[in-house]
Amino acid sequence: RWVLPGMIVLLVLMAACVPVEEKRSAAKDAKYHYLLGVTALNEQNPTEALKEFLLAEKYDDEDPEIQAGLAQAYWQKKAFDLSEKHFLQAIEISDNDPKYYNNLGALYLSMERYDDAITAFRTAADNLLIDRPEIAWTGIGLAYFHKQDYPAAQRAYEKAMELNPSYQVPLFRLGELYYSQDRPVEALDMFTRSVELEPGFFPGFYWQGLVFMKIRDTEEAKKSFQEVMGEKEGEAFHGSRGDCRVGSSGTSGYGDS
């Protein structure tokens, strides 16, 4: 008389195990395709990255990193609206993780939506859980710079420098601001300090060379430009909107163009 109830319990337990195993398998598949997507992004292959992130999403559409990966891939393919959509999904799923707001701000910079960029960066910077608020403050400064609000840009860069004196990018961006205001001596100081902090920071050397040319110091300009000669052909450092992304499928700074 105890056989039937025992079998029922056994069947229930077995049935309960199936979704768990399927979930574990789906999680592994999602992680596998996600990592392939990250690799493809690092290899500058956004099409392949997009394919892998879309596969990852099929297995797990509630992972914010996968949504952020999709956003990065769409961004590289200039599908800005789709990129924005997936960054917003990453923010929602992650319960407002500040790194995704930081990435969203960088996207808005590239779209020339400077007010939206400031809002996104400020949201990231004001969140006490952000790992590197200096990156967000540098993004705020860059957005104000493109709005030609130079005092606000300078204040934001200085805030970033205060938060992390070892971070070279706000020094570089402040040098860019001084250069645009025809203040070559101050610009040169900022560019020089940026490469002192990070000897491999080629944008700093490039702009340092431009300042030396401006003040007609040809020999020093040559020395600065020689530092960037090893960079791959076609890579320029013009101080444009840059890249402020953070996260496993993004970068951690944005001193380059």
Side-chain angles (χ1 to χ4, degrees), residues 134-242:
E134 68 273 16
I135 294 178
W137 277 105
T138 306
I140 292 169
L142 189 54
Y144 276 122
F145 175 79
H146 284 289
K147 283 169 62 70
Q148 298 185 341
D149 187 342
Y150 299 130
Q154 181 169 344
R155 288 194 297 272
Y157 293 148
E158 289 173 346
K159 176 68 173 179
M161 292 157 59
E162 175 187 338
L163 288 168
N164 186 355
S166 298
Y167 183 44
Q168 81 279 8
V169 178
L171 289 161
F172 167 74
R173 291 300 184 184
L174 188 54
E176 177 187 47
L177 187 155
Y178 289 148
Y179 187 89
S180 71
Q181 294 179 321
D182 197 25
R183 298 160 64 181
V185 175
E186 292 161 288
L188 181 60
D189 179 50
M190 291 296 110
F191 295 139
T192 300
R193 288 171 60 187
S194 75
V195 297
E196 287 174 349
L197 284 172
E198 182 55 63
F201 188 58
F202 295 105
F205 284 113
Y206 180 86
W207 279 80
Q208 187 186 61
L210 292 181
V211 176
F212 281 130
M213 288 182 65
K214 191 178 184 69
I215 62 177
R216 302 183 185 282
D217 191 335
T218 307
E219 289 304 312
E220 289 300 321
K222 287 180 180 179
K223 293 178 184 178
S224 296
F225 290 136
Q226 284 171 354
E227 294 290 339
V228 299
M229 290 299 289
E231 289 297 285
K232 52 188 179 179
E233 185 177 357
E235 185 169 347
F237 310 102
H238 301 303
S240 65
R241 284 172 291 278

Side-chain angles (χ1 to χ4, degrees), residues 50-183:
L50 181 58
K51 290 178 183 178
E52 295 298 338
F53 288 136
L54 286 171
L55 286 171
E57 186 186 34
K58 287 183 179 180
Y59 291 108
D60 187 356
D61 60 0
E62 292 296 318
D63 186 332
E65 286 293 321
I66 292 173
Q67 295 301 320
L70 282 166
Q72 300 280 8
Y74 281 124
W75 184 354
Q76 288 193 22
K77 292 181 71 68
K78 310 299 182 185
F80 298 122
D81 290 343
L82 287 171
S83 179
E84 178 185 19
K85 171 188 172 183
H86 286 281
F87 274 139
L88 290 172
Q89 285 182 245
I91 289 169
E92 181 179 359
I93 294 170
S94 67
D95 195 22
N96 299 311
D97 190 319
K99 71 181 179 184
Y100 300 126
Y101 274 109
N102 197 70
N103 291 355
L104 183 63
L107 172 67
Y108 288 147
L109 273 181
S110 70
M111 298 171 71
E112 301 184 13
R113 290 169 55 180
Y114 301 125
D115 289 328
D116 290 333
I118 291 167
T119 299
F121 282 131
R122 190 61 190 258
T123 302
D126 289 343
N127 191 317
L128 295 179
L129 296 177
I130 190 171
D131 287 331
R132 299 187 61 190
E134 68 273 16
I135 294 178
W137 277 105
T138 306
I140 292 169
L142 189 54
Y144 276 122
F145 175 79
H146 284 289
K147 283 169 62 70
Q148 298 185 341
D149 187 342
Y150 299 130
Q154 181 169 344
R155 288 194 297 272
Y157 293 148
E158 289 173 346
K159 176 68 173 179
M161 292 157 59
E162 175 187 338
L163 288 168
N164 186 355
S166 298
Y167 183 44
Q168 81 279 8
V169 178
L171 289 161
F172 167 74
R173 291 300 184 184
L174 188 54
E176 177 187 47
L177 187 155
Y178 289 148
Y179 187 89
S180 71
Q181 294 179 321
D182 197 25
R183 298 160 64 181

